[in-house]
């Protein structure tokens, strides 16, 4: 008789005690499930930021933004080319002035 194999854990090996977490938004009821703490924090932050942007837009702006996002998110190559055109056309920052297009925190 051979020894029984050890039971396998469904938890990610990198985070002891972490299995899965579901975030439920108190504003809109959306649910986001993550299997790591990093994914959870990222999902909650993105959802919070989406509410912040959404709340600043009026109904016409929301419709326009939704249409644009649907087109851009469907085609990554189009998104990349559009950003390249925007960056190419943008005014160059003056010497010593941080580039506002930079995504790095100052």
């Amino acid at each position: 008789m051979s020894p029984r194999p050890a039971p396998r854990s469904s938890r990610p090996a990198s985070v002891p005690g972490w299995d899965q977490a579901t975030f439920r938004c108190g504003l809109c009821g959306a649910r986001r499930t993550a299997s790591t703490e990093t994914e959870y924090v990222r999902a909650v932050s993105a959802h919070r930021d989406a509410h912040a942007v959404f709340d600043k837009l009026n109904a016409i702006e929301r419709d326009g933004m939704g249409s644009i996002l649907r087109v851009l998110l469907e085609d990554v190559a189009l998104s990349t080319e559009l950003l390249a055109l925007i960056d190419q056309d943008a005014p160059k920052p003056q010497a010593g002035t941080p580039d506002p297009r930079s995504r790095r925190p100052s």
Side-chain angles (χ1 to χ4, degrees):
M1 193 151 125
S2 61
R4 294 178 65 171
R8 293 177 49 146
S9 172
S10 62
R11 291 187 195 110
S14 60
V15 184
W18 185 270
D19 184 17
Q20 194 176 62
T22 300
F23 161 73
R24 183 183 173 280
C25 178
L27 297 173
C28 69
R31 292 179 182 270
R32 304 291 182 259
T33 301
S35 50
T36 67
E37 186 173 6
T38 301
E39 288 176 13
Y40 180 82
V41 169
R42 206 174 283 145
V44 171
S45 295
H47 190 78
R48 181 193 61 226
D49 292 348
H51 270 291
V53 170
F54 185 83
D55 291 344
K56 290 180 181 179
L57 303 175
N58 64 40
I60 294 170
E61 293 168 332
R62 289 175 187 159
D63 287 345
M65 178 72 81
S67 295
I68 291 167
L69 285 173
R70 283 182 190 90
V71 169
L72 293 177
L73 292 174
E74 189 174 292
D75 188 343
V76 175
L78 171 63
S79 302
T80 302
E81 290 301 321
L82 183 58
L83 286 173
L85 287 173
I86 291 168
D87 288 345
Q88 180 180 3
D89 193 45
K92 304 293 184 232
Q94 296 177 358
T97 305
D99 186 343
R101 296 170 293 162
S102 173
R103 298 187 188 254
R104 284 180 244 126
S106 49

